[in-house]
Amino acid sequence: FYGIMFVMIFYNLFVYLSTRSVSYLYYILYIASYTLLNMASNGLGFQFLYPDWVWFQNEGFLLRASLMALSLIFFTINYLGVNKSTPRIQKLFIILSYLAIGFLVGSFFPFYKYLLTPFYFFLVVGFSFFIFVGAYKLKLEYRPARYYLLAFIFLTGGGIIQIGQMNGFLPPWFIFSNAFQIGGVFEVILLSLGLADIINSLLEDNLEANRLLEDANTNLEDQVIERTKELSMALDDISNLLDNMRQAVFTISNEGIIQKPISKYSENIF
């Protein structure tokens, strides 16, 4: 589990450095905070990452979970393209962001234990809202929303299965006792595929825009050539007409210079 998580962190970090897409940055923060939350729950974090930070291990659950929630909120906003075109959804995300920051700040105070129950309720409401927004964006035919919904179905399903096993409703098999982590693995893989799909869509749009521009330039060149040919033919017709006239026809500019075309008969005068 942790090997996959660290691989995904470094992989997405490499992609972020290549693309500079802020969605990848928020995704890296989410994977890192989610991994840290799991490492702390089974003591691996205290054993390998922060052996001298007893408070963070024993009292830092709300801090770790708030960091995960906040990074997930920012990632979801960018991944699902939440903007001013959906003002109500954007406003709710802003409210969730402020609440997550409030829990994060409150985690440093002695009364943080009184915030745990409201925080659990906040997580339930937040996850439900994320799934709703994902379904709404999928209805609008936003292709990456498919990966987002599948990812959270796996994560939520894994959490429900593991809770059922912990309460005796399911046997203590490996797949049940570690269902939340297994669901998390599928989640990060699916979200990475979704981010790649967004990049591919942008590249496809860019290629289509370049193709349309090339077509426009080609059509413009063809129109210029056609118009030049028409003007040349018109000029030839005028010249032929003037050459057959038995009169001197010509044009004089303001500087007193004779301008073409002139009738051939004018040569007899000049």
Side-chain angles (χ1 to χ4, degrees):
F1 169 77
Y2 295 109
I4 294 174
M5 289 299 173
F6 284 117
V7 167
M8 297 305 294
I9 288 173
F10 285 109
Y11 165 75
N12 286 283
L13 178 61
F14 174 76
V15 177
Y16 166 71
L17 294 175
S18 302
T19 63
R20 297 296 178 180
S21 173
V22 70
S23 294
Y24 278 97
L25 180 60
Y26 290 136
Y27 186 49
I28 293 167
L29 294 175
Y30 169 65
I31 300 176
S33 58
Y34 174 76
T35 304
L36 182 62
L37 187 66
N38 281 273
M39 292 185 71
S41 66
N42 55 28
L44 291 176
F46 183 71
Q47 182 178 356
F48 295 107
L49 298 181
Y50 46 87
D52 299 323
W53 199 0
V54 179
W55 177 88
F56 187 73
Q57 175 64 27
N58 295 336
E59 311 292 336
F61 168 76
L62 185 60
L63 173 61
R64 297 188 298 269
S66 298
L67 285 172
M68 185 194 72
L70 191 60
S71 60
L72 180 57
I73 290 170
F74 289 143
F75 168 73
T76 301
I77 291 172
N78 282 270
Y79 181 90
L80 293 180
V82 177
N83 50 42
K84 293 181 180 179
S85 62
T86 52
R88 293 182 180 178
I89 293 177
Q90 185 182 41
K91 185 176 181 180
L92 289 173
F93 268 111
I94 293 173
I95 293 173
L96 289 176
S97 300
Y98 282 126
L99 287 174
I101 293 172
F103 285 118
L104 179 65
V105 174
S107 67
F108 291 99
F109 292 89
F111 58 79
Y112 82 92
K113 292 183 179 180
Y114 297 103
L115 299 175
L116 291 177
T117 300
F119 181 74
Y120 294 143
F121 179 75
F122 165 78
L123 287 180
V124 172
V125 173
F127 270 80
S128 301
F129 179 63
F130 296 157
I131 294 174
F132 165 76
V133 176
Y136 174 74
K137 295 294 287 188
L138 182 61
K139 184 179 179 181
L140 297 178
E141 298 182 352
Y142 183 65
R143 195 168 65 184
R146 294 177 300 177
Y147 297 96
Y148 187 88
L149 279 178
L150 282 175
F152 278 94
I153 287 172
F154 273 105
L155 183 66
T156 305
I160 293 172
I161 291 173
Q162 187 163 337
I163 291 173
Q165 188 277 323
M166 293 171 63
N167 287 276
F169 296 106
L170 293 170
W173 298 347
F174 175 84
I175 192 173
F176 294 149
S177 59
N178 295 278
F180 186 64
Q181 291 183 344
I182 294 172
V185 169
F186 280 104
E187 181 207 23
V188 297
I189 292 174
L190 285 167
L191 290 177
S192 294
L193 292 174
L195 286 171
D197 187 60
I198 292 176
I199 298 299
N200 289 333
S201 297
L202 293 174
L203 291 175
E204 290 174 2
D205 292 341
N206 185 54
L207 290 174
E208 180 65 15
N210 289 334
R211 188 187 65 80
L212 292 174
L213 181 60
E214 290 177 359
D215 290 344
N217 289 335
T218 301
N219 291 335
L220 180 61
E221 290 176 0
D222 292 341
Q223 291 176 6
V224 170
I225 293 173
E226 184 65 24
R227 184 57 179 165
T228 302
K229 185 185 297 184
E230 291 175 357
L231 292 174
S232 178
M233 292 175 61
L235 186 59
D236 290 341
D237 291 341
I238 294 173
S239 297
N240 291 332
L241 177 63
L242 293 176
D243 288 344
N244 292 323
M245 294 179 65
R246 300 293 297 173
Q247 296 179 2
V249 179
F250 53 87
T251 303
I252 300 177
S253 66
N254 294 331
E255 290 79 17
I257 300 174
I258 297 176
Q259 304 291 320
K260 291 183 179 181
I262 62 175
S263 65
K264 192 172 183 180
Y265 191 76
S266 301
E267 297 175 1
N268 297 330
I269 301 175
F270 302 102

